[in-house]
Amino acid sequence: RVIKMASNENPLGVSPRVREVMEKCASQAFRYPQSGNPRLVKALASFYGVDAGRIFVGNGSDEVIDLLFRVRAVPGVHNAVAFRPCFGLYPTQAKMAGVELRQAPLKSDFSFDFPGLLKLVDENTTLVIVTSPDNPSGRAASVEELAALAGALPPACLLVVDEAYIEFAGAEYSLLSRLESLPNVALMRTFSKVYGLAGMRIGYAILPPAIADYLWRVRLPFSLNILAEEAALAALDDSEFREKTIELVKRGRVQLTEELRTMGCEVLPSLSNFIMFRTPEGAVGVKTLHGELLRRGIIIRALGGYHLPDWLRVSVGTDEENELFLRYTREILGA
Ligand SMILES: *Cc1c(COP(=O)(O)O)cnc(C)c1O
């Protein structure tokens, strides 16, 4: 038996209701999706109480990030700014777009250094990207901090807040309710985490209308496929599954945090569906723990890819998966 706790997927899997809809819609797969995915756009607009002209949907947040770089920045002229470490896709897509990505280090406790970030912004910065809650730390910025950052940027600079994990922190951490007074803010969200549809590839953004319009003009016409669109519509309607997921994750992250701390591990406080931690001084190192868990069938994330070789990240699982992870970890650490 293999337990995957490495990619922050939904521990409950696919919602049964969504699965039913996808099965029912399989026979429609010979059709092209409706260009512009108008039903999903409308559903998202009404779900969030925003104008439909602000909504963009694509093949995962990945596509949204890629298009934002290409639409917002002229290669060799404009630059983008993010923190270091950051989600691996920002640097690769910036590079593919020929756009310089400037990175401000996070503080040593992995909290956000907004003054440091602002120092990298100049008149050619057209994108600033902040992930909140952040990956891999799990830390979230307050709306006051984010609104202040947006206000301090040059008017032509778009603040993109990647809110992939926002549902696990709570609406009070989102700039959503402030969008009307913040004309240079975009929010990116996804169906990959709380909605349990990572494999269907559905991301969306709530944008200043003019930027949403640009993105729609250049997006490949059918990048969000017909089953993905049906799945997203059903998932959005399934508040029961969403709430069950959030409840499970909140309970699980408290348990993982407390028990890892009891074993002497250093654990960052998480507002997300994963925990970043490291083993205690004098105990086996993170490499050994990672490898020994793997031998026992549990996959967690080594953070070398984030240039954090001394840290690990574990996604919150089901109660049973969390128990097993904790039991093996205790055993390996001899705690
Ligand atoms: C998981 C994750 C996403 C979601 O990406 P999709 O392409 O929508 O699956 C976006 N941003 C961050 C930081 C993530 O960790």
Side-chain angles (χ1 to χ4, degrees):
R1 176 166 176 219
V2 173
I3 297 175
K4 188 171 171 224
M5 303 169 89
S7 300
N8 308 335
E9 293 148 346
N10 193 312
L12 295 175
V14 180
S15 146
R17 274 202 243 168
V18 173
R19 198 175 143 169
E20 207 175 291
V21 167
M22 286 199 286
E23 279 165 8
K24 216 178 74 200
C25 293
S27 62
Q28 290 304 305
F30 73 104
R31 298 264 184 226
Y32 282 103
Q34 233 180 323
S35 126
N37 307 102
R39 287 166 64 223
L40 183 55
V41 167
K42 201 167 152 225
L44 284 166
S46 104
F47 188 81
Y48 290 113
V50 299
D51 195 276
R54 281 185 173 276
I55 304 284
F56 178 76
V57 302
N59 193 263
S61 309
D62 293 357
E63 182 178 33
V64 183
I65 294 167
D66 177 56
L67 288 179
L68 278 171
F69 275 114
R70 295 199 281 155
V71 163
R72 290 291 299 162
V74 174
V77 176
H78 297 136
N79 66 74
V81 172
F83 284 111
R84 185 195 314 274
C86 71
F87 192 42
L89 206 76
Y90 308 161
T92 44
Q93 297 320 111
K95 202 164 191 176
M96 284 294 285
V99 175
E100 178 197 357
L101 180 69
R102 302 174 177 179
Q103 292 187 267
L106 291 169
K107 295 186 197 168
S108 58
D109 65 354
F110 299 94
S111 61
F112 303 96
D113 176 10
F114 288 113
L117 191 75
L118 267 173
K119 273 194 210 135
L120 299 184
V121 173
D122 64 20
E123 69 279 8
N124 291 318
T125 307
T126 49
L127 276 178
V128 170
I129 311 175
V130 175
T131 313
S132 181
D134 203 4
N135 179 6
S137 77
R139 289 193 187 275
S142 71
V143 290
E144 284 71 28
E145 289 174 302
L146 290 169
L149 174 64
L153 296 174
C157 179
L158 184 70
L159 171 62
V160 180
V161 188
D162 184 343
E163 294 190 334
Y165 302 99
I166 195 71
E167 292 88 353
F168 305 112
E172 67 271 29
Y173 285 91
S174 174
L175 280 183
L176 184 64
S177 62
R178 306 270 195 106
L179 284 186
E180 290 308 323
S181 59
L182 298 169
N184 63 334
V185 169
L187 307 178
M188 279 199 302
R189 299 207 176 179
T190 182
F191 281 81
S192 297
K193 310 285 157 58
V194 77
Y195 292 102
L197 291 170
M200 291 305 285
R201 314 304 307 129
I202 313 152
Y204 59 102
I206 304 165
L207 300 147
I211 296 174
D213 180 45
Y214 274 120
L215 293 182
W216 278 115
R217 287 194 231 174
V218 297
R219 196 199 76 167
L220 293 175
F222 308 120
S223 71
L224 195 89
N225 74 68
I226 202 162
L227 277 188
E229 182 169 25
E230 295 297 344
L233 285 164
L236 209 52
D237 241 6
D238 193 351
S239 55
E240 193 187 320
F241 180 82
R242 190 169 49 242
E243 277 154 28
K244 216 167 128 187
T245 298
I246 293 170
E247 191 196 303
L248 176 71
V249 163
K250 286 186 174 172
R251 185 171 73 225
R253 79 185 174 208
V254 171
Q255 187 195 13
L256 290 175
T257 302
E258 285 178 356
E259 302 220 6
L260 284 170
R261 281 185 181 152
T262 305
M263 296 176 215
C265 293
E266 185 179 351
V267 186
L268 293 184
S270 172
L271 282 165
S272 199
N273 66 343
F274 52 82
I275 305 281
M276 182 169 147
F277 71 102
R278 62 178 167 187
T279 56
E281 300 262 344
V284 299
V286 296
K287 253 205 170 118
T288 306
L289 177 59
H290 181 263
E292 287 296 316
L293 284 170
L294 212 51
R295 275 188 351 113
R296 290 162 174 79
I298 297 191
I299 311 170
I300 67 170
R301 177 69 58 146
L303 293 175
Y306 287 85
H307 305 288
L308 299 169
D310 300 331
W311 293 86
L312 294 167
R313 190 190 69 198
V314 60
S315 311
V316 177
T318 60
D319 291 334
E320 191 201 354
E321 289 167 341
N322 296 337
E323 286 292 348
L324 211 55
F325 161 77
L326 287 167
R327 171 153 40 106
Y328 290 152
T329 300
R330 208 173 286 119
E331 194 178 291
I332 296 161
L333 292 179

